[in-house]
Each structure stands twice: as structure tokens, then as C-alpha cells.
Amino acid sequence: RLLAADLAAMGAAVTVSVATPLGAEELADIPGLTILTGRMELSAMAAALAGQDLCVDATHPYAAAASANIRAACEGAGVRRLRLARPQSELPDDIVLLPDADAAARFLAGQAGNILLATGANTVGCYKALASRVWARVLPTAASFAACEAAGLPHSHILALQGPFSRDFNEAMLREYRIAWLVTKDGGKAGGFADKAQAARAAGARLVVLGRPTSDGPDYTYEEVRERCREMIQCRSI
């Protein structure tokens, strides 16, 4: 969102692809954007790239499949790709680091206490056997509700909210539901990871972190991507 606003202000013709109408809402106040809404398979990505000069892959650090499709579509269309990566967080020493949601569910099955999932609705089904003591914080969409219901979560355990959230908000939620285990991804600063980690420590909850998938790189910081885009815009305007 920030990069789209920056590039539009520089005079670039910016097309932004978002997976859901919620993502489109977040961009609505930025003038001059073309917004494509809906999840795309490889063929649709290739069609969207037609006539573009550059593709910035700004997907979530855990969206490995989408990122791989973007890379393949760019290669097929002959469009340069820059991977914009959120910096990894400094992980506390006392976390439980696991590779994925299945591993987290297996681990938590052997632990006592309430569980707060802050990992989205896509993997809530992995915790179906633990549903009676799982609270899921998910985006306020019909798809999120459906996933939680399919996993057997009581409706009172579905927390439909849009983040990121402050440290105080996270701590209040952990205390309200007497959470012993907070399951999260390392979404970096943009995903509010540090706030979640600090809140868990203050509320006496243990942190279960799902490890990031291996990046297909090369990765660039926000500043690096912005500068490369700025140089391209300037060259085309000469």
C-alpha cells in the first residue's frame, strides 16, 4: 500500500493486484491506482503482466505459492520482477519455533491451556481437534467465518478483526480469554510481530512462531525497491 502510493505520486501508472475486496478497501483512498481484485492463477497473472514494465512481488512472507507463481508469470511474460521482502524480526529466546500449522497443532495437543491463533483463517482447520480451547483472530470476511465454522470453533471463539494491533490491545485480548499459547507468524514490523511478542510476555503467554518459508529471492528492502522504481520512472520520462 505504501509503495503503491509512493509510485503513483512519482507519476507511475500503478496497477495493484489484491486477493480480496478487503485489500481493495485498503487502497481506496490512494488516487491514480488501477486495482485488480481476486486471487489469480498463473495464467491470469501472465495476462495481467501484459504491457507492464516491472512487477513488484510484495506478497506476505508466508505466501510462498503465490510468490512462486508470480516469479513464473514474470519469466513467461519477460517482465522484470523485484521481490519486496519484509525484514525478519528478532525472535525472543523463549519461543517455540515450528515449521508450519500442522506441527503447531501436534505440539499444542500435548500442552494445557487456551490457544489464540493469530495466523489467519487458511490453516485454522489444522486445529480442529483442539477447537474447544482455540480462539482464532481472523479477518472479518465470510471466508474466514466459514473456515472457523468448518474447524468446529464455537462462534464465541471467532474474533473477526482487522489488524495490525497494538501491544496493549494484544495484551488485553490475551488476558480476556486466559490465553496460554499465542500462535503467530513472523510478519515483521508491518504485521505487528514485536507488539504480539511483548504482549505475550506481559500476559504470561508462551509464543509459538511458525517459521518463514525459504525465499525464492533475491530479496530487496522497501527503500531498495523504491529507489529502483524511481530510477526507472525517471529514465522513461527523459
Side-chain angles (χ1 to χ4, degrees):
R1 184 174 67 252
L2 297 177
L3 183 64
D6 270 354
L7 300 184
M10 292 179 196
V14 181
T15 298
V16 185
S17 171
V18 295
T20 66
L22 195 60
E25 287 179 18
E26 291 291 295
L27 298 165
D29 61 346
I30 303 174
L33 301 183
T34 299
I35 302 174
L36 306 178
T37 305
R39 301 185 186 279
M40 290 188 184
E41 299 298 330
L42 185 57
S43 59
M45 288 182 184
L49 285 167
Q52 303 291 344
D53 297 302
L54 175 70
C55 175
V56 177
D57 175 3
T59 50
H60 193 279
Y62 289 76
S67 189
N69 279 344
I70 292 169
R71 180 171 188 163
C74 287
E75 291 173 350
V79 174
R80 183 185 177 195
R81 167 185 172 267
L82 294 178
R83 168 65 176 157
L84 171 57
R86 300 183 192 180
Q88 294 191 14
S89 303
E90 183 176 344
L91 301 179
D93 294 333
D94 58 348
I95 67 167
V96 178
L97 183 62
L98 296 169
D100 53 37
D102 285 328
R106 290 194 297 270
F107 169 78
L108 291 168
Q111 309 299 322
N114 293 343
I115 302 160
L116 174 61
L117 303 180
T119 50
N122 288 342
T123 57
V124 70
C126 298
Y127 304 90
K128 188 171 185 177
L130 310 174
S132 64
R133 58 189 181 98
V134 167
W135 278 255
R137 193 164 71 191
V138 296
L139 290 174
T141 66
S144 295
F145 281 113
C148 291
E149 288 179 333
L153 266 65
H155 287 101
S156 60
H157 290 202
I158 304 173
L159 311 176
L161 299 163
Q162 184 175 354
F165 306 98
S166 69
R167 175 197 177 280
D168 289 344
F169 189 97
N170 279 303
E171 183 180 346
M173 185 170 286
L174 293 171
R175 293 188 184 280
E176 176 68 21
Y177 298 106
R178 301 186 301 279
I179 299 299
W181 301 93
L182 171 59
V183 184
T184 184
K185 299 174 182 177
D186 173 17
K189 183 178 180 180
F193 178 83
D195 289 317
K196 286 183 277 190
Q198 292 167 10
R201 183 179 296 277
R206 291 288 305 279
L207 205 62
V208 176
V209 179
L210 307 187
R212 286 192 178 190
T214 302
S215 170
D216 62 358
D219 292 340
Y220 297 91
T221 65
Y222 183 93
E223 291 74 18
E224 289 170 336
V225 170
R226 186 182 186 280
E227 180 61 19
R228 281 163 173 76
C229 291
R230 185 188 65 79
E231 291 171 354
M232 175 179 285
I233 293 166
Q234 287 184 337
C235 287
R236 290 183 64 85
S237 64
I238 295 175

